Amino acid sequence: MSSENKRRSFIKGIGLGSALLGSIQYGLNASEESKKKKPHYAMLFDQNKCVGCSDCEIACAKVNHVPKGQHRLYVEDQTNPNDLKFKKYMRVSCQQCVDSPCTEVCPTKACHKDSITNIVTMNTDDCIGCKYCIVACPYDVRFINEETNAAENCNFCLNTNFKEGKEPGCVAACKYDALVFGDLNDEESYINKILAVKDAARLKPGFGTKPSLRYIPKLKTGVYDE
Ligand code: SF4
Ligand code: SF4
Ligand code: SF4
């Protein structure tokens, strides 16, 4: 599927026909929304496709106004120095845990799950900077934004691109189709179609937080024998 078709599929998946409709749809009240099945948004990172270009990091910072030197997302070079031909990169960001300790410990509920999308996000104005959420996160992906003095995490661009009916900035920026975003509770979503045929893993499932990010691990390429 081309990037454009993928994008259309995502938009269909979240029930948005246009950017304008996206704003209206997002504004549905909780009771209307609860009649539908709650979404479970997730992201898939394919290590075999990532070339480590950092375009996703740059787009994330721009879309979400992340201060220079801070990151909601970064791409780590995990290449073994003894095997430089086998390049390997890893996306590091909030795992959007279903059982999220960050939201559990927040005394002001600044860190919470959005009532419509279920995405772990922030009410920046309510954050008192206590850092409980940062300590509670086993994936070490939260930080205090130097400009807002509030804690922050990747929220799939909930307050920016998502509201406008667009894909997260990182997904839109990736020229190599290494990132896919969608609703796991939508059987027709593109992310579900891929997960049906590809082996994907969660990072450190032993933490018990049920992370929503999925990773397709890097495979050594072989030689076709046919
Ligand atoms: S933009 Fe895509 S290819 Fe580039 S580092 Fe990010 S995920 Fe990897
Ligand atoms: S990865 Fe950390 S910040 Fe993200 S939902 Fe899980 S516990 Fe919260
Ligand atoms: S730093 Fe902010 S978001 Fe985190 S637990 Fe404290 S008040 Fe909640």
Side-chain angles (χ1 to χ4, degrees), residues 102-103 105-112 121-124 126-134 142-144 149-152:
C102 56
T103 58
V105 300
C106 180
T108 66
K109 298 296 167 208
C111 177
H112 66 283
T121 188
M122 282 291 298
N123 277 336
T124 303
D126 293 339
C127 179
I128 55 173
C130 67
K131 300 187 182 171
Y132 286 3
C133 57
I134 294 175
R142 296 183 67 80
F143 64 98
I144 300 282
N149 290 322
E152 197 164 306

Side-chain angles (χ1 to χ4, degrees), residues 164-211:
E164 294 167 12
K166 297 184 205 159
E167 288 183 308
C170 56
V171 179
C174 181
K175 296 192 271 295
Y176 303 92
D177 284 340
L179 295 166
V180 177
F181 174 70
D183 180 4
L184 295 180
N185 284 345
D186 173 5
E187 287 174 12
E188 296 303 314
S189 65
Y190 182 58
I191 192 168
N192 269 332
K193 304 268 185 213
I194 298 181
L195 290 171
V197 295
K198 297 266 189 186
D199 282 335
R202 300 180 196 204
L203 276 191
K204 301 190 178 3
F207 288 152
T209 62
K210 300 188 190 140

